[in-house]
Amino acid sequence: MNLTSPQLEIQAFYDKRTNYDNNLTVRRALRLVELAPQLQPGQRVLDLATGTAIIAIAVSPQVGDEGDVIGVDFSAVMLDQARQKIANAGLNNIQLIEADAEKIDFPDCYFDGIFCSSAIVLFPDIPALLTKGYRWLKPDGFMAFSAYAETSHFTPLIAKVCANNGILLPNLHEPVGSSEKCYHQFQQAGFPEIDIKTEQFGRFLSLDEAKQFWKGTWLHPNGHPLSELTPEQTQNLTAEFQRQIETLATEDGVGLDITMFFAIAHK
């Protein structure tokens, strides 16, 4: 794989996540499966940015032994976790491919369903990916992705802290950060039937948890200015973030917004 510098940064971030599966990552992935059309025995499914194969494993029983599930990811560490989980579950209809999902290709009209759970913003060219997804789908097939709102995960506060220090930080969630933007992305790719659901996965954090939430790092598929900062600059940013968090504390703690959009489109 020939990955760009931003992609290598994303790959390194996920290679470090050896305990990826948790309450949020599992709940959001399974919710996407619940909202998508029920798959049938013998059908073929693609899971883009499969990670630890949460979705691939969930849909495997739906398509049965006569069906196929293909999971694609460029993190070897995540795929190792996925293989162990698949082996433990005794599943034989899942194929994992280590590759850049934007560069891989499949035949036209090949899949009955395509999933991408919470990772679509990590692709450098979302319109191109959705257009390829449309081409890969059989007639009446569906594509389903989930995405965070632009306001999720303290993103506005992080952007404010950066702006106070003369840094214009691109919002990772912006391309699909509203129900309207999710709809527009699918519409531009040619999908005629689109449904968007909005759900809240937020919770209250303790003040200490909230202050440790952001440590000056960021991900963006097309690069970002924080990757060029010195350790001292990063420390200054995180210190200001913690000061700002303190002003948000209530008796219940600090509210963490995790608004998610579940976008499902039919060919």
Side-chain angles (χ1 to χ4, degrees), residues 55-73:
I55 281 187
I57 290 170
V59 301
S60 171
Q62 293 184 24
V63 301
D65 289 340
E66 61 270 46
D68 292 299
V69 181
I70 298 175
V72 180
D73 206 293

Side-chain angles (χ1 to χ4, degrees), residues 2 24 40 115 138 185 262 266:
N2 294 317
L24 175 61
Q40 302 301 317
F115 290 90
K138 296 178 182 179
Q185 291 279 11
F262 296 88
H266 293 261

